[in-house]
């Protein structure tokens, strides 16, 4: 009999999964190294961020999976509904189901026992696996997810791994390192508005991809220049750069992301993930109006203290710049700098609603990328 971990990896490979986004659980500590030996793996720092990365991977032609602890589903619900269910984006999720079987940690009980009801109420498809002999259900769940373009969660009981003889890897050695950061920045009184900055981007984007943040940035981009290679975010605040990262990792076109200060502060994990890879075909334009512009210009922390460029550097993003004028922005975009901190005034241009459904935005984007959606 095969170890259950080997069986799972075999199923993932036979299902042509080409990327796994993972965050550990003690019960799958023998599975995770086996996955990363066999499938390109992105280690996550928060599960919600994985939803964005995997959406980008799918939009770019890949077949992602997430492998996590079931508690992580609590961090993913908004994204699964406002991104995957809204646009019709597949995502198989293998979740180590805690709180229901020989569970010693009390903090796991409440969420674990209610999880099927929570997923059911949220309209998220799920399958439960209680024993080794049911592992083939993973196959069906992956098929269902990709052929019906929705997330499908597989809750795997810890009882499944009890027969395993898989070895857990030895602890690794810490690599000694030093950090010397020389950073001087000056945030001047802004002279541009967000609309000016997006206009410059639209002028130079050519055949490249633009992913625009939810709310007014998407509407402004639509107003300036609608094109099939624009992906307009309608929800899942904080995930725009994560989607951009997923796209940059799976395909060759350059990806420009229009992010915002409020959104980056909601999900700084996106910078952590970008800093891990520094893909040369990704430019994040952090449009910093020091406000939640789309909800009425309430101040964010960048209005008085946080420097987004320093945050990007602190996360390991190598190529960063700060720009205050459209000429500086144009120069940085043409150089395809990895992270552009663009200082703008908190002023919105009044634009109409985008007259496209989420599904239309996705379908035409994928067509323009030269893909049939269902593969
Ligand atoms: C989880 C969540 N919380 C709050 C909101 C409401 N919301 C939508 S857009 C937005 C502001 C985004 O601010 P920022 O990223 O700075 O971009 P800006 O609108 O200023 O361009 C907020 C708070 C939301 N959509 N989702």
């Amino acid at each position: 009999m095969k170890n259950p971990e080997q069986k799972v990896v075999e199923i993932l490979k036979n299902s042509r999964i080409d990327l796994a986004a993972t965050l550990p659980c003690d019960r799958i500590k023998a599975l995770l190294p086996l996955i990363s030996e066999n499938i390109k793996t992105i280690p996550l720092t928060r599960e919600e961020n994985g939803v964005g990365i995997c959406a980008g991977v799918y939009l770019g032609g890949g077949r992602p999976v997430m492998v996590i602890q079931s508690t992580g589903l609590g961090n993913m619900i908004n994204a699964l509904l406002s991104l995957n269910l809204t646009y019709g984006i597949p995502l198989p999720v293998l979740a180590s189901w805690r709180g229901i079987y020989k569970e010693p940690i009390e903090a796991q009980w409440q969420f674990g026992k209610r999880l099927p009801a929570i997923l059911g109420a949220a309209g998220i498809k799920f399958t439960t696996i209680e024993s080794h002999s049911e592992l083939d259900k993973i196959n069906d769940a992956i098929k269902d997810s990709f052929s019906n373009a929705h997330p499908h969660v597989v809750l795997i009981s810890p009882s499944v791994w009890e027969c395993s003889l898989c070895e857990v890897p030895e602890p690794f050695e810490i690599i000694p390192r030093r950090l010397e950061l020389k950073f001087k920045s000056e945030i001047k009184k802004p002279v541009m508005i967000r609309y000016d900055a997006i206009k410059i981007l639209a002028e130079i984007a050519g055949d490249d991809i633009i992913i625009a943040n939810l709310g007014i940035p998407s509407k402004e981009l639509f107003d300036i220049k609608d094109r099939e290679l624009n992906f307009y975010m309608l929800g899942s605040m904080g995930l725009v750069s994560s989607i951009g990262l997923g796209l940059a990792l799976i395909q060759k076109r350059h990806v420009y992301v229009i992010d915002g200060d409020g959104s980056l502060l909601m999900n700084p994990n996106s910078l952590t993930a970008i800093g891990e890879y520094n893909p040369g075909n990704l430019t994040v334009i952090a449009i910093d109006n020091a406000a939640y512009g789309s909800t009425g210009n309430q101040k964010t922390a960048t209005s008085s203290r946080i420097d987004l460029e320093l945050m990007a550097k602190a996360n390991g993003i190598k190529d960063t710049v700060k720009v205050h004028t459209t000429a500086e922005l144009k120069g940085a975009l043409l150089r395809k700098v990895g992270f552009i901190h663009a200082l703008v005034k908190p002023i919105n241009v009044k634009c109409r609603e985008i007259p496209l459904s989420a599904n239309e935005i996705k379908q035409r984007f994928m067509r323009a990328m030269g893909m049939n959606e269902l593969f």
Side-chain angles (χ1 to χ4, degrees):
M1 190 182 75
K2 269 198 193 97
N3 281 315
E5 289 86 352
Q6 283 161 330
K7 171 96 183 154
V8 171
V9 171
E10 200 173 274
I11 293 172
L12 295 180
K13 284 168 78 176
N14 290 341
S15 306
R16 294 179 292 119
I17 292 296
D18 47 21
L19 186 134
T22 66
L23 210 152
C25 170
D26 169 73
R27 304 298 186 273
I28 51 172
K29 58 180 179 286
L31 172 65
L32 293 172
L34 210 59
I35 288 181
S36 59
E37 274 164 33
N38 286 278
I39 296 168
K40 184 180 164 70
T41 296
I42 296 190
L44 301 170
T45 50
R46 183 177 168 86
E47 294 84 354
E48 183 183 27
N49 200 34
V51 180
I53 295 171
C54 289
V57 168
Y58 172 74
L59 293 172
R63 287 171 64 87
V65 70
M66 281 184 69
V67 185
I68 58 170
Q69 181 176 104
S70 56
T71 43
L73 289 159
N75 296 340
M76 292 159 60
I77 292 270
N78 174 45
L80 289 175
L81 272 71
S82 67
L83 184 61
N84 298 73
L85 285 186
T86 300
Y87 290 85
I89 294 178
L91 179 59
V93 180
L94 307 190
S96 166
W97 189 8
R98 299 297 300 271
I100 42 99
Y101 179 79
K102 296 186 187 170
E103 180 59 67
I105 300 177
E106 206 178 332
Q108 297 281 4
W109 298 347
Q110 299 298 328
F111 191 63
K113 71 180 175 196
R114 292 184 175 89
L115 194 45
I118 291 170
L119 293 173
I124 296 168
K125 275 269 215 159
F126 68 96
T127 297
T128 57
I129 293 185
E130 315 258 356
S131 82
H132 181 200
S133 61
E134 293 178 312
L135 280 174
D136 278 326
K137 287 185 182 176
I138 295 175
N139 239 327
D140 303 333
I142 294 174
K143 264 196 201 120
D144 171 61
S145 180
F146 283 101
S147 41
N148 295 309
H150 57 205
H152 194 132
V153 174
V154 186
L155 297 173
I156 308 178
S157 165
S159 59
V160 166
W161 318 109
E162 279 180 339
C163 60
S164 172
L165 298 171
C166 265
E167 306 244 328
V168 176
E170 294 291 309
F172 58 88
E173 293 225 3
I174 303 280
I175 304 164
R177 59 193 184 274
R178 279 173 56 114
L179 173 70
E180 255 182 54
L181 188 63
K182 288 204 182 93
F183 180 76
K184 236 187 185 170
S185 89
E186 190 186 356
I187 293 179
K188 300 180 200 158
K189 209 174 165 56
V191 290
M192 292 189 273
I193 60 172
R194 191 205 295 105
Y195 196 88
D196 299 332
I198 295 178
K199 209 164 167 188
I200 297 291
L201 170 61
E203 274 166 25
I204 65 133
D207 281 342
D208 293 332
I209 292 166
I210 303 179
I211 315 286
N213 202 12
L214 81 169
I216 293 174
S218 273
K219 291 183 202 168
E220 288 184 348
L221 175 63
F222 182 83
D223 186 71
I224 291 163
K225 192 175 184 182
D226 179 40
R227 55 206 266 288
E228 299 200 329
L229 284 167
N230 290 353
F231 189 87
Y232 304 107
M233 296 279 290
L234 302 173
S236 53
M237 181 170 166
L239 291 188
V240 68
S241 287
S242 313
I243 295 179
L245 173 63
L247 268 158
L249 291 175
I250 203 77
Q251 55 81 59
K252 293 202 164 59
R253 272 178 217 259
H254 198 83
V255 182
Y256 292 101
V257 173
I258 303 169
D259 211 330
D261 48 305
S263 300
L264 275 167
L265 293 174
M266 180 174 278
N267 180 28
N269 301 278
S270 62
L271 299 177
T272 316
I274 293 168
E276 172 111 14
Y277 298 97
N278 278 294
N281 62 339
L282 176 65
T283 297
V284 173
I285 307 138
I287 305 225
D288 185 356
N289 54 6
Y292 297 105
S294 299
T295 49
N297 281 329
Q298 302 85 355
K299 275 184 187 175
T300 68
T302 67
S303 65
S304 55
R305 44 195 178 86
I306 291 175
D307 185 311
L308 293 178
E309 188 189 0
L310 181 56
M311 240 169 77
K313 278 193 185 302
N315 278 286
I317 299 181
K318 294 209 173 85
D319 191 16
T320 71
V321 70
K322 205 179 288 313
V323 300
H324 287 84
T325 65
T326 49
E328 287 169 356
L329 174 61
K330 188 168 184 180
L333 289 170
L334 291 172
R335 293 199 309 281
K336 297 192 173 358
V337 172
F339 184 90
I340 303 172
H341 184 194
L343 283 305
V344 304
K345 299 182 202 174
I347 292 176
N348 304 313
V349 169
K350 213 170 168 34
C351 299
R352 64 191 173 122
E353 294 297 323
I354 297 171
L356 297 168
S357 70
N359 201 265
E360 281 165 344
I361 293 168
K362 176 196 69 172
Q363 297 274 5
R364 65 179 209 158
F365 180 83
M366 292 184 78
R367 255 197 327 269
M369 298 271 295
M371 270 176 305
N372 289 324
E373 197 202 340
L374 302 175
F375 33 71

